[in-house]
Amino acid sequence: MSRRSRLWWLTALLASVAGTMYGRLLPESFSYGYFGFASCPGHDATSEISAVLWPVAAWVPLFWYGGGPVVVLAFAVHWLASWLGRPWIGRLFAWISAVALVLVAGSGPVAVAVDLVLDRGCLDVWGGLEGVAYLTGWQVGPAAAALCMLAAVRNPRYLVRRTLRARWFRRGLAVSAALGLLAFAPVSDFVPGPVGKCGDSRDPEQVFLCTMHQRGLFTKVGDHLALAYGRRQCAAFPAPGIDPYLIASICPPAAEVARRERAAEQAEIQAEDARSQKICDANRHRPRVRPVRVAHDRIFTDYGVIEALETEDWDDDLLTTAQDDGLVATGPGHLMILTHSDYENCVTVEAYRQRPPLEKKGWDRVVEVGYASPSGTIELGDAMGGPQMPNMAFAGKGTYRIRVHYREPAWEEFTPQHLLIQIFPGRRGQRAVHHD
């Protein structure tokens, strides 16, 4: 075994060690989100390979520690084969080991490179530079080790020159090049035509093509083939499995079915809204004393949080406090009320100049808390956005008492839940549970 070969083997082992050390320095977890339509075959292929080969990486010790055991084993086999006078056995084993190491623990960097060459938007699919460093950074070591293994067992230069000059090699290379050019040459039937921005055109065919492309269908073939597919679908409509919304723009029968379905869905939504509003109106609170301000609204929350936020310092961990209480919590300039996220809320907010009479009958919970308003703006609404209720801090900035009444919905009938929120001036004081 030559000195050059031994150096390459040593470099391969050091690369595996470096990959292991990098992996130990990574945080325990990393999370990110991506929404888009980028085509990233490297990312997809890596996901598929990982799903199949992950048990190998997890349970076969040869691939632990950045592939270091594979490097050591391949070196031992190569050395022994060279000592026995059969170096080709060692080279073959090293090649197989290097390929296995790349597939099991080193395909990430190659996949990232392929994706970035095809579409730079794929960087977001990988989670940006931070995601690439976390997901594939540790694989650079095993990939480099595999390359060093191949370099350690490569043929001497005179054998390489002999191979390059051989007639069979030159003819095979010419044939491979010709086939490669044919493979990458565009075929007329599979060249997509120009498609305008979706929404910019009222042409039925353009709308159909935009709908197809937005769903990721027929993005790699000619538009005339996509249109032919749509017309065949229309001819077979209403056969089972045909989506009327997909072909509605070029198929009148499908458009009529889609229109009727949308109308039925809208009518159902309106009927449900009317039913909920009727329940809210029928159970509207009748105050015992005249309030200064009154506001009613029907609120459907994304996460069961209704809040008033007067400050940009929203990271005050108030949600944890509210969850411990189960109904309401306050902080400086931040009021949070929790309800069930799957049910609508009939909300009534009343502002008083002085403490109103306590009402417990008909309510499941009544809790009173203090609140400091730094700006004099108490506007309740869904925490995730949407219209806010009117400002109830009629006395301006200062301290108020917030009394929250809650009534559960009829769970089986899916009726709204009810909230009565009474606001009046007062000291912050302690939290008081009037009814639970």
Side-chain angles (χ1 to χ4, degrees):
M1 184 182 297
S2 66
R3 181 172 178 272
R4 175 194 58 80
S5 181
R6 290 196 296 271
L7 288 176
W8 278 116
W9 281 112
L10 178 60
T11 305
L13 183 60
L14 292 177
S16 296
V17 173
T20 302
M21 297 302 295
Y22 180 85
R24 296 291 176 87
L25 296 175
L26 291 174
E28 294 184 0
S29 63
F30 173 78
S31 61
Y32 69 97
Y34 171 76
F35 301 94
F37 302 96
S39 176
C40 306
H43 183 272
D44 297 340
T46 301
S47 300
E48 296 293 334
I49 293 173
S50 299
V52 175
L53 297 181
W54 177 250
V56 178
W59 297 103
V60 179
L62 287 175
F63 297 100
W64 296 355
Y65 305 106
V70 170
V71 174
V72 174
L73 178 62
F75 168 76
V77 172
H78 182 229
W79 176 83
L80 181 61
S82 300
W83 184 71
L84 294 175
R86 299 179 181 274
W88 65 270
I89 296 178
R91 285 195 295 269
L92 179 61
F93 187 84
W95 272 86
I96 294 174
S97 300
V99 172
L101 182 57
V102 170
L103 288 176
V104 174
S107 61
V110 179
V112 171
V114 170
D115 284 347
L116 294 183
V117 169
L118 297 177
D119 187 352
R120 292 188 178 182
C122 289
L123 183 62
D124 294 332
V125 177
W126 286 94
L129 294 177
E130 186 178 358
V132 170
Y134 183 86
L135 298 174
T136 68
W138 64 273
Q139 297 184 358
V140 174
L147 294 176
C148 291
M149 291 167 61
L150 297 179
V153 299
R154 75 176 190 270
N155 285 324
R157 292 183 180 179
Y158 73 90
L159 291 178
V160 175
R161 287 196 297 268
R162 183 185 300 175
T163 301
L164 293 177
R165 293 173 181 174
R167 180 178 297 177
W168 62 268
F169 179 80
R170 287 182 291 174
R171 289 181 177 177
L173 184 62
V175 172
S176 299
L179 292 176
L181 290 175
L182 289 175
F184 286 99
V187 181
S188 59
D189 281 349
F190 291 88
V191 177
V195 178
K197 293 183 179 180
C198 295
D200 292 348
S201 174
R202 295 184 179 180
D203 179 69
E205 293 183 351
Q206 290 293 96
V207 173
F208 169 74
L209 292 172
C210 284
T211 304
M212 296 283 283
H213 293 172
Q214 285 178 336
R215 296 193 183 188
L217 303 173
F218 286 88
T219 58
K220 303 296 183 182
V221 301
D223 289 344
H224 64 287
L225 294 178
L227 289 169
Y229 168 82
R231 293 189 181 102
R232 286 197 301 271
Q233 292 283 92
C234 182
F237 188 80
I242 298 179
D243 184 358
Y245 296 93
L246 182 64
I247 59 175
S249 62
I250 60 171
C251 185
E256 178 60 24
V257 171
R259 186 196 64 78
R260 290 200 301 266
E261 289 183 357
R262 289 194 185 99
E265 292 174 359
Q266 188 63 30
E268 183 178 353
I269 293 173
Q270 291 176 351
E272 184 64 27
D273 285 345
R275 183 181 79 102
S276 297
Q277 189 61 53
K278 184 177 180 180
I279 293 174
C280 290
D281 293 340
N283 293 272
R284 185 164 292 179
H285 178 248
R286 294 176 176 82
R288 297 180 180 178
V289 295
R290 186 180 181 85
V292 178
R293 296 179 186 175
V294 179
H296 305 280
D297 200 357
R298 216 174 75 242
I299 301 176
F300 192 94
T301 64
D302 286 330
Y303 297 101
V305 177
I306 298 175
E307 67 177 355
L309 186 61
E310 300 184 57
T311 174
E312 295 182 358
D313 185 21
W314 55 270
D315 189 16
D316 52 9
D317 203 27
L318 192 64
L319 179 59
T320 302
T321 306
Q323 289 172 337
D324 292 339
D325 178 86
L327 181 59
V328 60
T330 61
H334 196 178
L335 165 63
M336 182 177 291
I337 300 171
L338 301 186
T339 62
H340 198 292
S341 59
D342 292 337
Y343 292 78
E344 276 191 296
N345 301 275
C346 297
V347 182
T348 297
V349 186
E350 300 172 345
Y352 293 88
R353 296 190 184 279
Q354 56 187 1
R355 179 184 298 272
L358 179 63
E359 302 178 45
K360 296 187 291 184
K361 185 177 180 180
W363 299 101
D364 295 304
R365 291 198 68 190
V366 181
V367 179
E368 184 176 315
V369 294
Y371 176 72
S373 174
S375 65
T377 306
I378 305 177
E379 298 176 347
L380 288 161
D382 181 13
M384 300 305 295
Q388 303 290 106
M389 298 187 72
N391 180 20
M392 288 293 159
F394 69 93
K397 61 183 180 180
T399 57
Y400 292 84
R401 298 292 291 177
I402 311 289
R403 186 184 296 167
V404 181
H405 309 67
Y406 174 76
R407 182 164 57 246
E408 295 181 352
W411 301 105
E412 297 297 331
E413 290 78 10
F414 231 80
T415 60
Q417 52 202 333
H418 296 263
L419 279 173
L420 169 62
I421 304 163
Q422 295 177 326
I423 302 174
F424 49 92
R427 295 181 179 180
R428 294 184 62 180
Q430 298 294 322
R431 171 177 173 270
V433 179
H434 297 299
H435 182 59
D436 197 353

